[in-house]
Amino acid sequence: MKVLQLVKTSVGATWALKQMRELVKLGVEVHVALPTDGLLIEKYKEFGITVHAISYSLSHLYTSCKRLRQIVEEVNPDIIHSHFVLTTFIMRMALRADKRPRIFQVPGPLHLENIFFRKLDLWTARKNDIWVGSCKWTNDCYASNGISHDRLFLSYYGNDRMYEKSQVCNKIHKELNLNEDTILIGMVAYMYPPKYYLGQTRGLKGHEDFIDAIALVSQKYPQVYGICIGGPWKNGEAYEQKVKRYAQRKTDHIYFLGMRSDIPDLYADMYCVVHPSLSENLGGAAESLALGVPTVATRVGGFTDIVIEKETGLLVPPKDPDYLAHTLIDMLEGKYNLVKMSECGERLVYKMLDVKNTARTIFDIYHQIV
């Protein structure tokens, strides 16, 4: 079986790359069409994936469509598998007369939460278009908008079993010269500026809500500090500075550690970690659960697939820092068995999100639709 994958970046989206790697091991001839200016290109080649250069651009739609048609003619795949809204839209525009199966594996629910982009997705689809949601919320949304179950599948983007618990103790405490009794509550996420065209006024990952919640918690428990890890996404430097200024106005109990490569060591020093996203698939919750760290997440998107209330973690409403603060205070006051929840979360994540298993699901979907 020959499959052409469409990916809009060769800098990120390692989740798509790892899935392709496993599909190659299962005997699929994998081709990928993506920009070739990123560091991951050599990884694609190393894994036995044939690379085809393309630039996806709405401002140069004609050129993008023409190049994609050239690649499809050259490869002649059995299936075309797209991983982004942009690549899916260009695929559908370029290949309107093409009858072969086309998969849109939906990496996150953001575009479905906006009526214009949701309708655009549905209106541009044809009978040979198939959706693979990567969380239950996404599939429920498509089903409620009239997509039949024979065109709708579920498969998570998996990962390697790469999260090994750190043996390093008190790394953040030592780095920031904090007392041993200081309690650290973490947030690990890139800083995504608000998408104003979607009506957002705060960043997608909820940094402002995290800051507000820590400000409230630290008023009652002064030994609590918030730790933000992660830098700006793409051209988000101005937003990063805006977030830091916001934190300075709200509280002196927030530290920003920026981009780090020692995430497991930092997680090991946290009392718990918060994922206050406004929209999300599984997001960073998969990472914190895999590392056995008590996890709090907003009740959005795919978070609810793995953060099961009072079983693997705790859920809070999005855009509600007061509720988040009260939940953190309840945790600090011993109202939940955090050890038991962390152990359950770790087991669930490794069972659900092993990339070998998730890629096998995609492999089975291929055979079902061909």
Side-chain angles (χ1 to χ4, degrees):
M1 182 184 297
K2 189 187 300 184
V3 180
L4 174 63
Q5 312 264 347
L6 310 183
V7 180
K8 74 175 183 180
T9 176
S10 54
V11 176
T14 55
W15 31 267
L17 169 60
K18 291 174 182 177
Q19 180 171 281
M20 290 181 222
R21 179 195 67 196
E22 297 304 317
L23 289 171
V24 170
K25 294 178 183 178
L26 291 170
V28 178
E29 182 181 334
V30 178
H31 294 249
V32 63
L34 79 172
T36 55
D37 56 350
L39 297 175
L40 292 178
I41 289 298
E42 293 306 315
K43 281 292 183 183
Y44 280 99
K45 295 177 180 178
E46 178 186 329
F47 294 148
I49 300 163
T50 304
V51 173
H52 303 266
I54 185 174
S55 177
Y56 298 98
S57 171
L58 291 180
S59 59
H60 297 89
L61 182 60
Y62 175 80
T63 303
S64 297
C65 289
K66 181 180 179 181
R67 175 57 183 151
L68 182 57
R69 284 192 291 268
Q70 291 173 344
I71 294 171
V72 170
E73 184 176 355
E74 175 186 343
V75 176
N76 191 25
D78 299 299
I79 296 172
I80 303 171
H81 184 157
S82 173
H83 295 269
F84 293 89
V85 174
L86 175 62
T87 57
T88 299
F89 179 73
I90 291 176
M91 170 186 72
R92 292 173 179 172
M93 294 299 99
L95 306 171
R96 297 181 68 183
D98 197 287
K99 301 299 183 184
R100 76 193 82 206
R102 307 186 303 209
I103 292 174
F104 176 21
Q105 187 171 0
V106 189
L110 181 61
H111 80 284
L112 294 172
E113 296 166 357
N114 178 276
I115 188 169
F116 172 78
F117 291 101
R118 180 171 69 248
K119 293 296 184 183
L120 184 65
D121 182 358
L122 299 171
W123 288 338
T124 56
R126 294 180 175 268
K127 292 182 179 180
N128 54 324
D129 282 298
I130 293 154
W131 290 265
V132 177
S134 51
C135 74
K136 294 175 183 176
W137 187 97
T138 293
N139 279 27
D140 290 343
C141 182
Y142 280 117
S144 66
N145 280 273
I147 301 302
S148 60
H149 290 288
D150 61 329
R151 301 172 66 193
L152 191 57
F153 299 87
L154 175 68
S155 180
Y156 299 100
Y157 281 108
N159 213 326
D160 298 311
R161 191 179 175 92
M162 59 181 292
Y163 302 122
E164 297 296 334
K165 292 184 179 179
S166 173
Q167 303 303 314
V168 177
C169 296
N170 300 324
K171 186 165 187 175
I172 302 175
H173 283 79
K174 294 174 182 176
E175 185 175 317
L176 299 178
N177 196 28
L178 300 172
N179 294 329
E180 290 186 3
D181 62 349
T182 301
I183 298 172
L184 304 180
I185 296 176
M187 178 179 175
V188 182
Y190 283 109
M191 295 188 184
Y192 288 78
K195 295 181 181 295
Y196 297 108
Y197 61 87
L198 294 180
Q200 296 174 357
T201 58
R202 290 191 162 196
L204 184 66
K205 296 297 183 178
H207 282 85
E208 296 92 342
D209 293 337
F210 177 72
I211 292 166
D212 288 345
I214 294 298
L216 292 170
V217 174
S218 62
Q219 289 177 8
K220 185 172 185 179
Y221 293 101
Q223 71 271 36
V224 170
Y225 282 78
I227 304 295
C228 291
I229 301 169
W233 179 252
K234 291 187 176 179
N235 299 318
E237 289 79 7
Y239 172 66
E240 178 188 29
Q241 295 306 312
K242 182 178 179 181
V243 169
K244 290 181 177 180
R245 290 192 299 270
Y246 182 80
Q248 289 173 351
R249 293 195 303 271
K250 296 289 292 188
T251 178
D252 57 358
H253 281 246
I254 296 284
Y255 287 99
F256 293 88
L257 301 189
M259 294 296 296
R260 300 291 293 251
S261 59
D262 54 348
I263 298 298
D265 294 344
L266 304 181
Y267 268 127
D269 205 6
M270 296 177 187
Y271 175 79
C272 69
V273 64
V274 177
H275 305 283
S277 300
L278 310 187
S279 176
E280 194 62 84
N281 199 44
L282 304 185
E287 184 177 63
S288 59
L289 289 172
L291 287 167
V293 183
T295 297
V296 182
T298 43
R299 194 177 285 105
V300 298
F303 276 155
T304 58
D305 290 22
I306 55 176
V307 182
I308 301 170
E309 178 70 3
K310 298 180 183 179
E311 183 176 332
T312 66
L314 297 171
L315 292 166
V316 299
K319 306 178 185 179
D320 194 339
D322 290 344
Y323 195 107
L324 173 57
H326 286 301
T327 298
L328 294 173
I329 289 171
D330 286 346
M331 295 172 73
L332 292 165
E333 294 179 349
K335 294 185 179 180
Y336 303 104
N337 188 333
L338 301 184
V339 173
K340 183 177 179 181
M341 284 196 297
S342 299
E343 291 173 348
C344 290
E346 188 175 353
R347 287 195 298 269
L348 176 68
V349 165
Y350 278 124
K351 180 180 179 181
M352 283 179 56
L353 302 181
D354 186 328
V355 69
K356 293 181 175 61
N357 297 332
T358 57
R360 169 63 71 171
T361 300
I362 292 294
F363 182 75
D364 293 340
I365 292 171
Y366 287 168
H367 280 277
Q368 188 170 339
I369 66 177
V370 169

